[in-house]
Amino acid sequence: MAMIPSFFYNRRGNRIFNPVSAFDVWDPLKDFPFSSPHSLISRENSAFVNTRIDWKETPKAHVFKVDLPGLKKEEVKVEIEDDRVLQISGERNVEKEDKNDTWHRVERSCGKFLRRFRLPENAKMDQVKASMENGVLTVTVPKEEVKKPEVKAIEISS
């Protein structure tokens, strides 16, 4: 059982199999304008770079939830680009060190993060709302109502 790769389990530990997930590699830094992701952000900070985001679709909206513990809303940017791209970015700065302090463990991540999502055609780009509460950013993108096709009965002549 120890030989089974982790992609056979979802993040809550439930056993699932998605053969595509093993090949679905997304680079969160591909849109940064620098050549090497490690030139600005070290591997130790990669947990913050790979900020986790949930995206769900309800009948009325697309809802994004982002875990950003310890960040203030002023440290986060939510932007919409012309081609229906939602961009969420921000930065957690390194704590200032005091020469008299002795660090025993440093596990909290710092650095920049950037996530981009192409929104579907039905997204109302001019009505996007964002709020932040208890370290969780919620971005709501309303959807246009799907117009049901009008059905017209045609009389059949003999």
Side-chain angles (χ1 to χ4, degrees), residues 63-107:
V63 180
F64 296 82
K65 292 203 178 250
V66 187
D67 287 337
L68 299 171
L71 284 184
K72 299 175 192 142
K73 66 180 184 177
E74 295 81 16
E75 298 170 315
V76 179
K77 280 195 334 189
V78 178
E79 300 170 307
I80 297 288
E81 296 177 4
D82 290 337
D83 51 351
R84 293 185 344 273
V85 173
L86 171 67
Q87 179 171 301
I88 302 170
S89 61
E91 181 174 9
R92 176 179 291 142
N93 296 318
V94 180
E95 253 184 62
K96 293 183 179 170
E97 292 186 32
D98 185 352
K99 299 286 184 200
N100 299 323
D101 291 344
T102 302
W103 290 86
H104 294 281
R105 183 174 296 269
V106 178
E107 293 183 346

Side-chain angles (χ1 to χ4, degrees), residues 29 32-39:
L29 300 174
F32 273 108
F34 50 88
S35 58
S36 169
H38 304 296
S39 64

